[in-house]
Amino acid sequence: MITVLGSPNLDYAISFALESINSIKLEAFKRFFVDMPVDPYIKGKYRSRRLSRFKISGNELIKLPHGYFYQSKAYNPLLGDIKREFAELDDQLITLDELKKLVFEFSAYCKLPPDVDIAVHQIRISCSPSNFGNPAPEGIHRDGCNFLGIFAVDRHNIIGGETHLYKAKKEKPLFNKVLNPGELLLVNDNEFFHFTTPIKPIADGEGTRDVFVLTAPSLFTEE
């Protein structure tokens, strides 16, 4: 079932849309979110992250050479103008049909040209009673790409983590929803700002929010 929001029939692809992808088996992803490297660029050690980039060639998903993830301060006032290097996605994760389905779904819905490179960010946000997790420490922002996809894999022992879309930073959100596992939010990054609220545990112990974030183009630099 696909629920379309905004203006999905535009020639250049989407405005924004929410899709529930029932064909992807989420269980296949879950083990790859355990013991991920901690993001060294933010304080608090609550974000773990991996990143690889790909292109689509016919029916194949091709991994491209690794490099640095780079955004200007105009888009990321917290970590802009820094070349950030992250560990790549696990080799076994890359070979999964489920990952291929996700990237192909993102590409098809956004009507991406075949030569565009696509970044796949694998992100776990953790929280505890003494350390809440912040999925968007940079605040309300754009990424600086053309299209953005947020695919929810799992939510464990948490409240919060509601994703918002804005036409302007000082306006009220025109979309706000907790993304449930299996849902893919697609966004035209040129049209909307986005933000996700902090998470905290429902009960004692750790809580986690696992997502893939896809961007096109990848915002990679090899220099």
Side-chain angles (χ1 to χ4, degrees):
M1 177 180 178
I2 299 175
T3 303
V4 177
L5 306 147
S7 305
N9 296 317
L10 300 173
D11 290 339
Y12 61 80
I14 60 168
S15 181
F16 70 96
L18 179 69
E19 180 179 1
S20 182
I21 308 179
N22 299 319
S23 63
I24 292 180
K25 299 175 183 176
L26 300 177
E27 287 298 325
F29 291 138
K30 290 182 180 180
R31 67 186 178 95
F32 295 102
F33 282 87
V34 179
D35 295 327
M36 287 175 58
V38 172
D39 185 335
Y41 299 98
I42 60 168
K43 297 178 181 179
K45 297 184 178 180
Y46 59 82
R47 183 162 74 182
S48 302
R49 190 169 190 164
R50 289 181 180 271
L51 170 62
S52 291
R53 65 171 177 155
F54 303 88
K55 71 174 182 179
I56 292 173
S57 179
N59 292 321
E60 298 299 320
L61 185 63
I62 309 298
K63 187 168 77 71
L64 297 174
H66 204 39
Y68 300 97
F69 180 57
Y70 182 83
Q71 296 170 296
S72 73
K73 277 194 175 293
Y75 291 103
N76 189 330
L78 181 66
L79 294 168
D81 296 342
I82 298 172
K83 292 180 179 179
R84 288 182 281 167
E85 185 174 14
F86 298 101
E88 293 202 70
L89 303 187
D90 187 284
D91 288 340
Q92 293 183 29
L93 171 59
I94 291 171
T95 63
L96 287 182
D97 285 342
E98 309 310 305
L99 185 71
K100 180 179 176 181
K101 288 178 188 177
L102 176 60
V103 177
F104 274 62
E105 189 79 14
F106 173 71
S107 177
Y109 211 91
C110 297
K111 300 181 182 178
L112 299 181
D115 58 337
V116 71
D117 59 331
I118 301 168
V120 178
H121 303 248
Q122 181 188 10
I123 300 173
R124 164 169 280 190
I125 302 295
S126 301
C127 63
S128 68
S130 62
N131 186 24
F132 292 179
N134 189 357
E138 62 271 67
I140 299 170
H141 66 286
R142 288 177 172 148
D143 280 5
C145 56
N146 290 327
F147 296 105
L148 165 77
I150 306 172
F151 181 69
V153 175
D154 196 22
R155 292 172 56 90
H156 171 69
N157 188 35
I158 60 169
I159 57 173
E162 184 177 83
T163 297
H164 297 178
L165 298 180
Y166 304 81
K167 268 294 191 178
K169 286 186 176 182
K170 294 185 179 181
E171 294 180 1
K172 292 183 178 180
L174 52 82
F175 171 90
N176 53 285
K177 185 184 186 302
V178 170
L179 300 182
N180 296 310
E183 290 184 333
L184 173 64
L185 178 65
L186 302 119
V187 182
N188 187 320
D189 193 66
N190 296 302
E191 291 191 25
F192 297 100
F193 295 88
H194 61 277
F195 176 71
T196 299
T197 63
I199 61 171
K200 61 182 180 180
I202 298 172
D204 290 341
E206 184 181 67
T208 54
R209 177 181 184 265
D210 296 340
V211 301
F212 289 111
V213 175
L214 299 90
T215 59
S218 69
L219 305 180
F220 261 63
T221 178
E222 296 180 33
E223 300 177 355

